[in-house]
Amino acid sequence: MGNVPTSVKHCLSYEQLIQDYPWLGSRLQEEKCTLTREYPEYVKMIEVGPRDGLQNEKEMVPTRVKIQLINMLSETGLPVIEATSFVSLKWVPQMADHTEVLQAIHRSSHARYPVLTPNMHGFQDAVAAGATEVAVFGSASETFSQKNIYCSIDASMLRFEEVICTAKQQQIPVRGYVSCALGCPYEGPIEPTKVAEVVKRLYELGCYEVSLGDTIGVGTPGSMAKMLHYVMEEVPSSALAVHCHDTYGQALANILTALQMGICAVDSSVAGLGGCPYAQGSSGNVSTEDVLYMLHGMGIKTGVDLSKVIEAGDFICKALNRKTNSKVAQARSKSS
Amino acid sequence: MAAVMRFVKRSCFGSRMGLQCLSLSRSAAVAKLVQDGASAGKTLPERVKIVEVGPRDGLQNEKTVVPSEVKIHLIDMLSEAGLSVIEATSFVSPKWVPQMADQVEVMMGIHRRPGVSYPVLTPNLKGFLAAVNAGAAEVAIFGAASELFSKKNINCSVDESLQRFEVVTKAAKEAGVPVRGYVSCVLGCPYEGKVSPDKVAQVAKRLYSMGCYEISLGDTIGVGTPGGMTEMLQAVSREVPVNALAVHCHDTYGQALANILIALQMGISVVDSSVAGLGGCPYAQGASGNVATEDVVYMLHGLGIQTGVDLPKLMDAGAFICRSLNKKTSSKVAQATCKL
């Protein structure tokens, strides 16, 4: 064993090494099989359609439609379904029926139903309505934070600290989101070190997972890899997720990059619900169907039934009177 | 050797040499990741050649028949956008492909920019001779990795088609005309379903052996995913050198950019695409087909990979052809950018 470093030091060829140490060949063959498995075996899918998706749709969706959508999604095997948002209806009228939705959905024992809670007021309402998991939404861009939630990043962290502390006392898990992880509609490119700082703060405050959002979909595998490199120096990959927007068609390539770097939780939206509010008419969230198609094609388990997701997507698109943004759903419906 | 280094890491934790090697390799790897923006620490080509197939593969699959002057203007705009290979037209019988009936007029009408090639499709010797007569300086031939697809598409078996192509490649060699080969259905067939990677490798090898300088591997119905792409490229690159391979991904299931990224990580540095994502999928009416050049270029530039393409000029060409076809672009980059 002591000779092996010497071999490496003198840069012997691989063939020479195998000749000198025949036992090395079979050990390296085992390792080769492990190395080719460079992707997670399982990816957790976080379905954000009913909240992030519907919140950004122009049409106001009736409560019973939302409930049916969530129930259909529960039947697909999705492990996490973001149900609604306890934000003031002054700002997000589409989510005004949050209590009714949360109380009426049929909760599968295999799924969790986090809700957005921007502050203590929202958190308390959410808990009163039966929420068992919540989410808080930070930003890596100061300008975006100011324009979106009317306060600085620092001030938002203080707000979240209050929510997370209280949630911890009540044993309610909190998920964190960081917007503008790969670019901001106001500031342009965002320094990966800034993203890492914000992610670290949310994680240290007590978020069990932090979802990194490419809010305007400008990221590419290059910027995704760079950003993840810095973030993963501060927070373990097992506590990270990616939330890619497909506005520039880059989402699946960005998700693939994230998987290659060890991320195994992916946010997506059934039928690609939820356009980009910063580029009217452009697409926003990546479609759950398209992500599943890719993951299953790579032999990665998700526990989700793709055909049932397509059905749920068909249902909500009919209700919204719009076409799906999912290419898989389009192809399946148009195959001759 | 990388595998050996990893084994050394596991076995020799205490060794000073091992630790030094590890710390050196780790900081070098970090520097590369940060500087080059390499995707997930994998080596990527510095430069990628884009083969623009919009004017042929794209327009051939559009319902609207486009006037010759529009085709010519499109090709000229694409030349101005910095593309180095633009598939101009097809010398197939107008009986089968009426959209390409004006092949001679287009070839003679385009302004050929120096340094840019304008390959044309030639399914047989007759097409080849007509193409050369019309001034073609490069041609392309189209095989398939699926027997059923070959029968249904060009009315003969894969073997018979390869024999036909051999006549073309011989004539092309004598005339000093380079030939590019295409293989369809490399990741799936609309009739046969799964296609064996070894079959793809066989067909690619034959095309390469008969003289094609490059083989473009086509995911004809866009069903491929990074898993299938990896397996197929591993099989093909055992028979054909990777620098003679290209990928032609369809975006019917939204997988194209992810598949292209995998191909780049495996050493491929030539990518086919179509401006504005022209050319739907004939096997799923209304679904998308070719991947949009704008979206590919956006990804490549974001990775720090050079293409020589001017994205705004490319988008102008896309906007032009979409106006002429009276249709929306299939490029997400074009859709996003025009709305900001």
Side-chain angles (χ1 to χ4, degrees), chain B residues 163-212:
Chain B
Q163 280 165 34
R164 222 184 268 177
F165 299 144
E166 219 155 0
V167 176
V168 174
T169 54
K170 257 199 180 116
K173 200 171 181 175
E174 279 161 24
V177 173
V179 183
R180 186 180 206 239
Y182 281 91
V183 182
S184 314
C185 299
V186 301
L187 295 176
C189 169
Y191 312 107
E192 285 186 13
K194 274 201 166 145
V195 174
S196 142
D198 287 333
K199 178 77 180 179
V200 179
Q202 256 174 56
V203 177
K205 183 181 181 177
R206 279 193 67 179
L207 285 169
Y208 185 67
S209 312
M210 65 174 79
C212 292

Side-chain angles (χ1 to χ4, degrees), chain A:
Chain A
M1 197 73 85
N3 281 335
V4 174
T6 312
S7 305
V8 170
K9 181 184 175 184
H10 291 290
C11 299
L12 280 178
S13 73
Y14 176 82
E15 289 75 21
Q16 186 66 52
L17 208 55
I18 297 303
Q19 203 177 313
D20 293 343
Y21 305 97
W23 51 266
L24 197 57
S26 57
R27 293 296 295 272
L28 287 171
Q29 190 57 36
E30 280 168 22
E31 178 150 13
K32 189 182 169 187
C33 295
T34 324
L35 282 171
T36 54
R37 179 179 271 298
E38 55 189 309
Y39 297 101
E41 276 189 35
Y42 170 81
V43 162
K44 179 177 74 173
M45 298 291 294
I46 295 100
E47 173 58 48
V48 302
R51 200 280 309 166
D52 190 15
L54 293 183
Q55 174 175 313
N56 283 303
E57 290 289 325
K58 281 186 226 158
E59 293 280 327
M60 289 281 287
V61 173
T63 308
R64 56 178 166 73
V65 169
K66 284 178 186 153
I67 292 163
Q68 190 175 345
L69 173 65
I70 294 169
N71 289 344
M72 286 181 84
L73 292 169
S74 296
E75 292 293 308
T76 65
L78 282 157
V80 184
I81 302 166
E82 204 178 56
T84 187
S85 175
F86 284 78
V87 178
S88 161
L89 49 101
K90 188 172 73 170
W91 304 121
V92 187
Q94 297 97 322
M95 298 284 124
D97 55 2
H98 39 65
T99 301
E100 202 181 333
V101 167
L102 199 54
Q103 296 191 327
I105 54 172
H106 167 69
R107 299 203 208 190
S108 162
S109 55
H110 305 293
R112 291 159 26 208
Y113 302 86
V115 299
L116 219 70
T117 54
N119 49 37
M120 274 308 291
H121 181 67
F123 175 78
Q124 280 153 356
D125 285 350
V127 172
T132 50
E133 182 172 328
V134 299
V136 295
F137 239 100
S139 167
S141 152
E142 278 295 346
T143 315
F144 190 86
S145 190
Q146 293 284 0
K147 293 216 181 232
N148 209 37
I149 54 175
Y150 305 100
C151 66
S152 67
I153 295 176
D154 272 346
S156 72
M157 289 294 148
L158 290 173
R159 232 183 256 176
F160 301 147
E161 193 171 0
E162 218 190 334
V163 170
I164 296 167
C165 270
T166 316
K168 207 171 181 178
Q169 285 161 10
Q170 299 182 30
Q171 284 159 342
I172 290 178
V174 183
R175 188 182 205 240
Y177 281 91
V178 177
S179 315
C180 300
L182 296 177
C184 170
Y186 310 106
E187 290 184 16
I190 297 288
E191 281 302 322
T193 45
K194 180 69 185 181
V195 181
E197 204 188 289
V198 177
V199 175
K200 183 182 179 180
R201 282 179 80 175
L202 284 169
Y203 182 66
E204 286 177 346
L205 282 175
C207 291
Y208 74 89
E209 187 173 271
V210 183
S211 174
L212 307 163
D214 181 11
T215 306
I216 46 171
V218 289
T220 63
S223 54
M224 172 64 86
K226 195 173 176 181
M227 183 273 292
L228 284 178
H229 163 74
Y230 282 97
V231 171
M232 282 162 56
E233 296 217 304
E234 307 293 343
V235 176
S237 61
S238 53
L240 295 171
V242 288
H243 183 112
C244 298
H245 277 196
D246 205 37
T247 320
Y248 287 76
Q250 308 294 306
L252 287 194
N254 291 343
I255 290 167
L256 183 66
T257 299
L259 298 178
Q260 289 176 347
M261 291 183 74
I263 303 294
C264 46
V266 175
D267 298 4
S268 60
S269 177
V270 62
L273 289 181
C276 178
Y278 303 96
Q280 286 303 320
S282 299
S283 69
N285 284 307
V286 68
S287 306
T288 304
E289 298 92 317
D290 299 359
V291 177
L292 286 173
Y293 185 90
M294 181 175 78
L295 297 178
H296 293 177
M298 292 167 69
I300 294 172
K301 298 191 178 76
T302 62
V304 184
D305 184 331
L306 172 56
S307 49
K308 287 189 176 173
V309 176
I310 294 175
E311 276 172 31
D314 281 345
F315 162 75
I316 192 63
C317 288
K318 275 197 190 77
L320 286 167
N321 192 27
R322 59 161 278 177
K323 282 187 181 168
T324 180
N325 276 335
S326 157
K327 287 210 163 172
V328 169
Q330 284 168 31
R332 290 274 172 98
S333 73
K334 298 213 162 78
S335 289
S336 43

Side-chain angles (χ1 to χ4, degrees), chain B residues 318-340:
Chain B
F320 162 75
I321 192 62
C322 288
R323 273 196 306 273
S324 313
L325 286 166
N326 191 27
K327 67 169 270 187
K328 276 188 186 171
T329 180
S330 288
S331 155
K332 287 212 165 173
V333 168
Q335 285 168 28
T337 319
C338 74
K339 307 268 185 357
L340 277 170

Side-chain angles (χ1 to χ4, degrees), chain B residues 18-99:
Chain B
L19 285 171
Q20 276 175 5
C21 280
L22 283 174
S23 70
L24 266 173
S25 72
R26 183 170 160 76
S27 61
V30 164
K32 190 167 169 55
L33 186 67
V34 169
Q35 277 169 21
D36 301 357
S39 175
K42 294 173 187 294
T43 326
L44 294 171
E46 275 186 28
R47 189 174 183 93
V48 161
K49 177 175 79 174
I50 303 263
V51 174
E52 172 57 51
V53 301
R56 199 280 307 165
D57 191 15
L59 292 182
Q60 174 175 313
N61 283 304
E62 290 289 330
K63 282 187 226 159
T64 318
V65 180
V66 167
S68 310
E69 63 267 18
V70 169
K71 284 180 183 142
I72 290 163
H73 191 57
L74 172 65
I75 293 168
D76 288 348
M77 288 184 84
L78 292 169
S79 299
E80 288 297 305
L83 288 153
S84 61
V85 185
I86 303 165
E87 207 178 53
T89 186
S90 175
F91 282 78
V92 177
S93 161
K95 188 171 72 169
W96 303 120
V97 187
Q99 297 97 323

Side-chain angles (χ1 to χ4, degrees), chain B residues 91 103-109 112 128-137:
Chain B
F91 282 78
Q103 56 213 196
V104 176
E105 200 181 333
V106 167
M107 277 313 281
M108 310 270 226
R112 297 203 209 189
F128 173 76
L129 295 169
V132 169
N133 221 27

Side-chain angles (χ1 to χ4, degrees), chain B residues 108-122:
Chain B
M108 310 270 226
I110 54 174
H111 166 69
R112 297 203 209 189
R113 204 182 153 107
V116 181
S117 15
Y118 301 89
V120 300
L121 219 69
T122 54

